Amino acid sequence: VYYEAAVASRWWQVTLVPRTDAGGRVTQLLGVAIDISARKTAEHRLSEAEKQFETIVGNLPGLVYRRVLHPDGTITYPFISPGVEAVFGYHPEELRREPERLLATIAPEDRSRFEAEIARSARDLSKYDIELGATKANGERIWVRSTAQTSAAPDGSIIWDGVILDISDRKAAQAEAEKAS
């Protein structure tokens, strides 16, 4: 029997093993109790830090993400903030399940430039910062700025921690200023 319980402001992990007699009746319980209070405190602090992080990131404009290129060539997004709905019109879970959807939002005329920038960033383990045309889930054309810091994981994966901002208003203002010149 395995059991965890809070007793007198401490957490205990208790394992009990019954000993039986020839008739199958329990005659003894052998047990071990381990104080796991430090682990439970650490778990609680981690949970609170995760909630705080999600609240802070949820209030940022744009979206925050972690993109991983695995050694086998697959791409995953272990984290995509809820801001992806405002920028691209997708729920974060949709893009975690189908990561290729995010690449598909990039305007065809900008895709090769983006792929070259990602390849350079992965090779050099350096930051990238790029402006691209994109298409939202509803078909609306927008401009985005994507910037990310790159790092390598021990397993050989390449990790990008970044942000994507909708810069459509700025691009429109620039176009108007150029017309007025």
Side-chain angles (χ1 to χ4, degrees), residues 12 88 104-105 173:
W12 296 91
F88 291 111
T105 66

Side-chain angles (χ1 to χ4, degrees), residues 10 16 26 28 42 47 76 78 82-83 107 113-114 130 135 141 147 159 166 170:
R10 308 282 311 159
L16 298 173
V26 175
Q28 289 180 320
S47 175
T76 59
R113 189 168 54 90
F114 174 75
I130 192 168
T135 304
R141 291 293 303 246
T147 184
I159 301 169
D166 183 338
R170 186 186 62 129

Side-chain angles (χ1 to χ4, degrees), residues 7 16 24 29 38 50-51 63 72 84 89 93 100 107 110 112 116 123 153 158 160 166 175 179-180:
V7 178
L16 298 173
L29 285 175
E50 287 172 347
K51 287 177 193 172
L63 68 112
D72 67 1
V84 71
E93 192 54 41
E100 63 280 355
D110 289 337
S112 63
R123 182 184 63 247
I158 305 297
W160 289 271
D166 183 338
K179 280 184 191 177

Side-chain angles (χ1 to χ4, degrees), residues 5-166:
V7 178
S9 300
R10 308 282 311 159
W11 276 92
W12 296 91
Q13 174 183 318
V14 179
T15 304
L16 298 173
V17 178
R19 295 191 89 188
T20 58
D21 63 16
R25 290 182 307 242
V26 175
T27 58
Q28 289 180 320
L29 285 175
L30 300 176
V32 175
I34 301 170
D35 183 346
I36 59 169
S37 300
R39 185 187 88 203
K40 287 296 192 177
T41 298
E43 288 172 356
H44 176 73
R45 286 184 180 150
L46 178 59
S47 175
E48 290 300 312
E50 287 172 347
K51 287 177 193 172
Q52 184 179 27
F53 173 75
E54 289 178 10
T55 299
I56 291 168
V57 167
N59 287 309
L60 294 173
L63 68 112
V64 177
Y65 66 91
R66 171 167 274 193
R67 178 182 199 245
V68 179
L69 172 61
H70 299 276
D72 67 1
T74 60
I75 294 171
T76 59
Y77 288 90
F79 180 81
I80 299 179
S81 72
V84 71
E85 290 189 70
V87 176
F88 291 111
Y90 291 106
H91 188 274
E93 192 54 41
E94 286 179 84
L95 298 179
R96 277 192 285 276
R97 277 193 318 270
E98 299 177 57
E100 63 280 355
R101 278 190 175 189
L102 196 54
L103 180 61
T105 66
I106 298 171
E109 63 271 16
D110 289 337
R111 196 163 294 142
S112 63
R113 189 168 54 90
F114 174 75
E115 288 172 352
E117 186 65 5
I118 285 288
R120 181 205 55 79
S121 175
R123 182 184 63 247
D124 302 343
L125 292 180
S126 61
K127 183 176 182 175
Y128 77 82
D129 190 340
I130 192 168
E131 294 182 359
L132 306 158
T135 304
K136 294 175 80 160
N138 66 6
E140 178 186 351
R141 291 293 303 246
I142 60 172
W143 280 94
V144 297
R145 178 178 179 192
S146 180
T147 184
Q149 186 59 51
T150 311
S151 62
D155 71 353
S157 296
I158 305 297
I159 301 169
W160 289 271
D161 291 311
V163 63
I164 298 175
L165 301 170
D166 183 338

